[in-house]
């Protein structure tokens, strides 16, 4: 099984993943963005704004997740923002074709809360990406109508990542 945590930067995907994997036996986090970083090394001459634009990223995320689950079983928790419906459908369909159930959640909060969280995130890698993260808020808001159709929404405005993780765990067991 895969639990995919989608949502804007600052919604709590990474922290909720940590909480969720602590709750669920035989679960592990799969950082699909690492596949993108690997591809940047190889495809640096193919210009894109985001590595998700490369078809190999989407295919390799499906293949890697499938191989990991085939090797160790259990549950993969994937904290990865995907805001292009076509990309999500490609990934979801690829996993479905391999017989892997996917529970898709969007961790959601309002723009003001997201902006505050982005500005107050103290991790060095987050501090370095404040402008980029803020710049993606409109894309998230534009994607929200289709995300509401394809995922369960968890409003993280007034709850902790641990509470969000408990809600997700209850819905997937």
């Amino acid at each position: 099984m895969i639990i995919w945590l989608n949502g804007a930067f600052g919604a709590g995907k990474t922290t909720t993943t940590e909480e969720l994997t602590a709750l669920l036996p035989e679960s592990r986090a799969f950082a699909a963005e690492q596949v993108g970083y690997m591809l940047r090394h190889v495809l640096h001459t193919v210009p894109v704004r985001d590595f998700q634009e490369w078809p190999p990223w989407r295919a390799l995320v499906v293949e890697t997740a499938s191989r990991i689950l085939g090797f160790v079983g259990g549950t993969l928790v994937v904290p990865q923002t995907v805001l292009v419906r076509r990309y999500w459908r490609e990934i979801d369909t690829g996993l479905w074709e391999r017989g892997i159930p996917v529970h898709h959640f969007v961790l959601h909060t309002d723009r003001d809360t997201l902006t505050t969280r982005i500005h107050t995130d103290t991790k060095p890698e987050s501090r370095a990406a404040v402008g980029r993260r803020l710049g993606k808020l409109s894309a998230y808001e534009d994607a929200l109508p289709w995300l509401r159709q394809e995922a369960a929404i968890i409003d993280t405005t007034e709850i902790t990542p641990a509470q969000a993780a408990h809600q997700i765990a209850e819905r997937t067991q």
Side-chain angles (χ1 to χ4, degrees):
M1 168 173 65
I2 289 179
I3 299 172
W4 196 287
L5 302 184
N6 206 339
F9 292 106
K13 295 181 302 293
T14 301
T15 308
T16 300
T17 294
E18 293 166 3
E19 296 285 347
L20 189 56
T21 55
L23 282 176
L24 299 176
E26 297 184 35
S27 67
R28 61 195 79 240
F30 170 44
E33 66 188 18
Q34 295 297 324
V35 175
Y37 300 149
M38 175 196 69
L39 288 173
R40 278 188 185 150
H41 172 73
V42 178
L43 298 176
H44 61 91
T45 60
V46 181
V48 293
R49 288 168 292 153
D50 186 314
F51 55 70
Q52 291 185 15
E53 294 175 35
W54 288 320
W57 178 79
R58 300 184 298 276
L60 284 170
V61 165
V62 169
E63 185 64 24
T64 305
S66 175
R67 295 287 180 140
I68 291 168
L69 287 172
F71 182 62
V72 295
T75 300
L76 286 183
V77 181
V78 184
Q80 180 67 49
T81 301
V82 177
L83 301 179
V84 176
R85 190 178 209 169
R86 180 171 55 87
Y87 298 170
W88 171 251
R89 290 257 173 99
E90 233 177 279
I91 292 166
D92 190 44
T93 299
L95 294 166
W96 181 83
E97 287 172 347
R98 287 165 175 76
I100 300 169
V102 176
H103 298 274
H104 185 196
F105 293 91
V106 171
L107 303 185
H108 173 75
T109 191
D110 60 85
R111 182 181 272 262
D112 289 341
T113 303
L114 288 169
T115 301
T116 298
R117 289 179 185 175
I118 290 167
H119 279 296
T120 58
D121 191 334
T122 58
K123 291 183 267 226
E125 63 275 11
S126 299
R127 298 293 318 140
V130 169
R132 184 175 58 82
R133 296 171 91 199
L134 289 170
K136 294 200 177 212
L137 291 179
S138 292
Y140 169 72
E141 291 166 341
D142 291 346
L144 203 47
W146 75 260
L147 287 169
R148 289 185 186 281
Q149 294 173 354
E150 306 227 0
I153 305 294
I154 305 286
D155 190 329
T156 65
T157 306
E158 300 293 331
I159 64 173
T160 66
Q163 291 169 318
H166 279 279
Q167 285 185 26
I168 294 164
E170 288 172 6
R171 293 183 187 193
T172 58
Q173 294 181 358

